[in-house]
Amino acid sequence: MAGPQIYLSLPKLGFIPDARPLPPPPVGDATLRAPFTIPSTIYHAVLRPEVPVAVASIYIVSVLVLNAINAQRKEKNNGKPKPWWIARQPWFDALVVAHNAGLIVYSGLTFLAMLRAAIQTWPGYNTDTGAAGLADAFCKMNGPRGFGDAAAYNTTLNIWEIKNSLLHLDYNGNPDPTDVGRLWNEGLAFWGWFFYVSKFYEIVDTLVIVAKGKRSPTLQTYHHSGAMLCMWAGIRYMSPPIWMFVFVNSFIHTLMYTYFTLSALNIRVPVALKRTLTSMQIVQLIWGSLYAGTHLFLQYDMPVSTSYTVTSFIKSAISSASSIASVATSTISEIIETPTPTGDMVALAKKLLLRAVGEEGIAERVTNKYGQALAPAIQAKIEEIQEQLVPHHETKWSTDLTKVDCLDTTGQAFAIYLNLLYLTPLTFLFLRFFIKAYTNRGKAGKPSDVAKKVIDASQEASRKTKDTIEDTGKRAEDEARALTDEEKRAQLRKDLQALKDGTLELSQKIGGNAKESAKQASQQVSETSQKVAEEGKKLAKEAEQKVAPAVEKAAEKGKELAKDAQAKAEPALEKAAEKGKELAKDAQGKAEPAVEKAVAQGKQLAGDAQQKAGELAKDVQAKAGEAQQKAGEVAKDAQAKAGEIVDDDKTYAEAAAEPAAGANKENQAPASQSEPVAKQESVLTATQPTRPGVVGEDKGAVPADDEDTDAMGKSGAIIDPEAAKAE
């Protein structure tokens, strides 16, 4: 069997994210993976979608307004940037240096923490899992280390689950925060969350630029606002590629803020280093886009422990029926085949014989050697066997290689789509900046060329101005010749002189028009700023309105899926219950013929026993007749001998006649044994009330229920009811 493989397929997950699951917050252990615990309320509150949307919207609108205000201030300051009050303070530069230095330390720590997390997650080179093991390590971010041991979210059941049946989740059904070997618990939960929050603080870079009276570039505005939303989506939905953004971007930021710190300290940085830093940022964007996009298409083989239920009631039912039949058959066989049965076997033989002769009352009181009644013992055994007819369900697991997607939730896919939409124009802006700043196409011309162009432009303007003034003077002189009014002529001369001196009303009018144009331009800028602010608010409101229905729709979709799952599960359970009842009924139907067969065999044996008892009674009756006949012969002999006795011994003759009569009654002893027979008769007469089955005054009497007796009688002699009745 081939080992696990990786595959590429078309994306299956949509763009609209589901609201679940919430990312589990980290548990601090005073190490680099999580220096301290972040309260879950704060952790989840900052990850609400309203937070990045509101901050980004306010940031964009504020930058547009401040850029417009700075443009007006620059125009009034003869085209030079006019710093704000705070930027003119002596401590402002020190504050900027501290800001950049703090971000250097933070970015460096984040880079080291994510490097450690990547090392802890790396499965190694010499493994049997190959590329599939590597994909599993960096696609599944929760749970313990191990191929196929990750905790993934089941969007159908809306629960966390682990495919390995030997591993378990936390007590609240979430991944255990103490598990190690996966990116989330190894540092991403802590440092990734703080990296997202740091995007709000990094807008201080823009405030520094604006405070100096400069314009914040479009590249920077777009970069900061987009980073807030993309980092939010990656951490909120625990999207696998987000760790790479934190890892690489923290390294780039460490270098970038080092450059900003040197610039704030007025230390000249070579152009080659700046060009290299910009190139690294562009490579980071391209690599991040490719790495993130791959997750949408990636699949791999993973060992999955699948549970299945084994129902053992069919086997139990068949074995139970066989047990009942075998117990009955073996019991009866042992009664027939065992020469000297003991215990329950003897008790069962007695019971069958007593029932065969119609003595049900005595039969019900037959007990085994432990003093237990036989019928309840057998009934208990039958009930015990029947309990096995209840269906018994057993859950078992089988582990097989199953093709799974790298992504589990729509939220993870949404974060990747959002990052791709953000990185594409950002890469274009960085490329444009690179071309303008570091290539000849974007550079200005040589100083000599610029000076020449400026001189040529000024000469052309001077020439055009002189021509205009000359034309105006000629037209004024022509009009003056046509005037006859001396006053008009004087006014015309005055205007002509004013025109030559540059003090004509026309110049004032031109100046007034310029002021009016400036005023209109200022109003237009103000209106544009207000319009941009209103448009930003409108966009923020529309974004909020779009996000809220999406969240509600996702919640409703989750409820519908849960309801559908329940609806699908209930018929299956009902069907299983009905199937169990049918199987139990079939088993009972198979068991009943076996029981009936055993009962029929018992009745047949009882009939055979009754027949044998009848034959035995006939034999006893025949022997009794023979004994009676012999007793008569003995009596005749005794009588003959008695007549021959001497007449003078009359007492002896009478004594000799009584034993003969007793012998005649008992059909046993001759006259020569008269004295022992008399003693035996007296013993039998004395024990007659205690012997069952003897004909007397209480013929057929049954001992009372409280008497300590059994079917054998206290004498221990076996009683033959059929022989007694025949006699």
Side-chain angles (χ1 to χ4, degrees):
M1 180 180 178
Q5 305 292 326
I6 61 172
Y7 312 91
L8 294 178
S9 64
L10 294 177
K12 300 178 182 179
L13 298 174
F15 183 82
I16 299 177
D18 196 340
R20 290 172 289 187
L22 288 174
V27 175
D29 57 359
T31 63
L32 190 60
R33 65 189 292 269
F36 55 89
T37 300
I38 304 174
S40 60
T41 53
I42 298 177
Y43 193 87
H44 291 145
V46 178
L47 289 175
R48 293 177 63 87
E50 307 92 271
V51 175
V53 171
V55 175
S57 301
I58 295 173
Y59 168 73
I60 293 173
V61 173
S62 300
V63 169
L64 294 176
V65 173
L66 290 173
N67 279 343
I69 295 174
N70 279 347
Q72 294 179 1
R73 291 166 60 87
K74 181 179 179 180
E75 183 179 354
K76 293 180 180 180
N77 198 35
N78 297 324
K80 296 181 180 180
K82 184 178 181 180
W84 292 73
W85 168 84
I86 189 173
R88 296 193 299 270
Q89 302 304 313
W91 44 262
F92 181 78
D93 291 337
L95 187 64
V96 172
V97 171
H99 159 73
N100 291 324
L103 287 176
I104 291 174
V105 175
Y106 164 72
S107 300
L109 285 175
T110 303
F111 170 73
L112 293 177
M114 295 311 302
L115 177 62
R116 175 196 170 277
I119 294 173
Q120 293 294 324
T121 305
W122 187 265
Y125 295 99
N126 299 323
T127 61
D128 297 332
T129 59
L134 184 63
D136 179 73
F138 288 93
C139 284
K140 311 300 180 183
M141 297 195 302
N142 291 280
R145 178 189 292 109
F147 184 52
D149 296 340
Y153 192 79
N154 189 325
T155 56
T156 303
L157 302 177
N158 289 321
I159 59 171
W160 286 96
E161 61 181 8
I162 298 179
K163 301 299 184 181
N164 190 339
S165 59
L166 300 177
L167 301 176
H168 303 284
L169 299 169
D170 196 6
Y171 69 94
N172 56 4
N174 291 329
D176 192 342
T178 61
D179 287 337
V180 296
R182 298 277 175 177
L183 285 170
W184 189 256
N185 286 345
E186 288 295 345
L188 184 60
F190 183 90
W191 294 98
W193 184 84
F194 268 103
F195 196 77
Y196 154 66
V197 174
S198 70
K199 299 305 172 186
F200 301 145
Y201 174 75
E202 286 176 3
I203 63 176
V204 174
D205 297 341
T206 304
L207 297 179
V208 171
I209 296 175
V210 173
K212 292 180 178 181
K214 300 179 181 180
R215 176 182 179 274
S216 176
T218 304
L219 172 61
Q220 188 177 54
T221 304
Y222 178 80
H223 175 54
H224 283 305
S225 58
M228 297 177 191
L229 298 173
C230 290
M231 280 304 305
W232 164 80
I235 299 300
R236 167 60 183 81
Y237 296 109
M238 295 174 289
S239 188
I242 199 62
W243 82 272
M244 180 62 71
F245 288 93
V246 179
F247 175 63
V248 177
N249 197 243
S250 61
F251 175 72
I252 298 296
H253 276 197
T254 303
L255 302 178
M256 184 180 70
Y257 283 109
T258 301
Y259 161 72
F260 289 160
T261 303
L262 296 175
S263 298
L265 294 173
N266 296 322
I267 299 175
R268 184 177 179 276
V269 179
V271 177
L273 292 179
K274 294 191 291 185
R275 182 168 56 247
T276 302
L277 182 58
T278 305
S279 301
M280 292 176 66
Q281 289 177 314
I282 295 174
V283 172
Q284 169 203 209
L285 299 176
I286 296 175
W287 159 248
S289 300
L290 294 175
Y291 179 79
T294 303
H295 289 72
L296 295 170
F297 305 88
L298 186 62
Q299 291 181 326
Y300 63 95
D301 291 330
M302 184 180 72
V304 176
S305 296
T306 306
S307 63
Y308 61 94
T309 302
V310 176
T311 305
S312 58
F313 55 80
I314 299 178
K315 182 177 180 181
S316 298
I318 296 173
S319 62
S320 299
S322 302
S323 299
I324 296 172
S326 62
V327 167
T329 305
S330 62
T331 302
I332 296 170
S333 300
E334 288 179 12
I335 296 171
I336 297 173
E337 297 174 0
T338 305
T340 57
T342 59
D344 289 339
M345 302 300 140
V346 175
L348 182 59
K350 293 178 183 179
K351 187 169 225 179
L352 293 175
L353 291 174
L354 289 172
R355 284 184 174 176
V357 298
E359 296 295 336
E360 292 290 336
I362 300 175
E364 290 300 323
R365 286 193 292 275
V366 174
T367 60
N368 58 16
K369 62 181 179 180
Y370 301 105
Q372 297 175 341
L374 186 61
I378 295 177
Q379 184 65 26
K381 181 64 178 178
I382 293 174
E383 291 176 357
E384 179 183 352
I385 295 174
Q386 287 179 344
E387 287 178 0
Q388 299 177 9
L389 299 178
V390 178
H392 176 67
H393 305 285
E394 182 181 3
T395 301
K396 295 186 177 180
W397 298 83
S398 63
T399 302
D400 300 303
L401 287 178
T402 303
K403 185 186 296 184
V404 298
D405 295 319
C406 178
L407 305 179
D408 296 318
T409 65
T410 55
Q412 293 176 335
F414 165 77
I416 295 176
Y417 288 127
L418 185 62
N419 274 272
L420 293 177
L421 291 175
Y422 161 72
L423 292 176
T424 301
L426 183 63
T427 305
F428 169 77
L429 291 174
F430 266 96
L431 287 172
R432 189 182 68 171
F433 170 78
F434 186 89
I435 292 172
K436 286 185 176 181
Y438 305 115
T439 62
N440 293 329
R441 182 176 297 181
K443 290 183 178 180
K446 295 181 180 180
S448 58
D449 296 336
V450 175
K452 184 178 180 180
K453 289 181 180 180
V454 171
I455 293 172
D456 292 343
S458 62
Q459 289 178 353
E460 181 70 17
S462 176
R463 185 181 60 79
K464 288 183 179 180
T465 302
K466 186 177 180 180
D467 292 343
T468 302
I469 292 174
E470 290 295 332
D471 291 342
T472 304
K474 288 181 180 180
R475 285 197 301 270
E477 289 177 356
D478 292 341
E479 290 181 2
R481 293 190 188 99
L483 291 175
T484 57
D485 192 339
E486 190 66 23
E487 184 178 355
K488 290 184 178 180
R489 291 177 184 175
Q491 182 65 34
L492 182 60
R493 291 191 191 98
K494 186 177 180 181
D495 292 339
L496 183 60
Q497 187 62 36
L499 178 61
K500 291 180 179 180
D501 297 337
T503 59
L504 188 64
E505 237 177 272
L506 182 60
S507 300
Q508 297 176 358
K509 186 175 182 181
I510 292 172
N513 290 337
K515 292 181 181 179
E516 184 66 24
S517 299
K519 185 177 180 181
Q520 291 178 358
S522 177
Q523 291 178 354
Q524 185 175 3
V525 170
S526 178
E527 292 175 358
T528 303
S529 301
Q530 185 177 0
K531 185 176 180 181
V532 168
E534 292 176 355
E535 187 68 17
K537 293 179 181 179
K538 184 178 179 182
L539 289 173
K541 188 175 181 180
E542 290 177 357
E544 184 177 358
Q545 291 176 354
K546 290 180 180 179
V547 169
V551 173
E552 294 177 357
K553 185 176 180 181
E556 293 176 357
K557 186 66 176 178
K559 293 180 180 178
E560 292 177 0
L561 290 174
K563 188 175 180 180
D564 293 340
Q566 184 178 3
K568 293 178 180 178
E570 289 178 353
L573 293 174
E574 293 177 357
K575 186 176 181 180
E578 293 176 357
K579 186 65 177 178
K581 291 180 181 179
E582 293 176 0
L583 292 172
K585 188 175 180 181
D586 295 339
Q588 185 177 2
K590 293 178 180 179
E592 288 177 355
V595 174
E596 293 175 357
K597 184 177 180 181
V599 174
Q601 290 179 354
K603 290 181 178 179
Q604 183 177 359
L605 290 173
D608 295 340
Q610 185 176 3
Q611 183 178 0
K612 290 181 180 179
E615 294 175 354
L616 181 60
K618 290 181 180 179
D619 293 339
V620 171
Q621 187 176 3
K623 290 181 180 180
E626 293 176 357
Q628 186 176 5
Q629 183 177 0
K630 289 181 179 180
E633 294 175 353
V634 171
K636 290 179 180 180
D637 294 339
Q639 187 176 3
K641 290 179 180 181
E644 296 175 355
I645 296 174
V646 182
D647 293 335
D648 57 344
D649 197 356
K650 185 177 181 180
T651 303
Y652 177 77
E654 291 176 356
E658 291 178 0
N664 187 29
K665 291 181 179 180
E666 295 297 327
N667 299 320
Q668 293 291 334
S672 61
Q673 300 174 352
S674 59
E675 291 181 1
V677 171
K679 291 181 180 181
Q680 183 178 1
E681 182 178 4
S682 63
V683 173
L684 291 175
T685 303
T687 60
Q688 180 177 354
T690 62
R691 290 185 289 110
V694 179
V695 180
E697 293 182 358
D698 297 329
K699 183 179 180 180
V702 179
D705 293 338
D706 57 352
E707 291 183 1
D708 186 13
T709 183
D710 57 10
M712 303 295 291
K714 288 185 177 180
S715 63
I718 297 178
I719 304 302
D720 189 348
E722 288 294 329
K725 287 183 178 181
E727 181 180 356

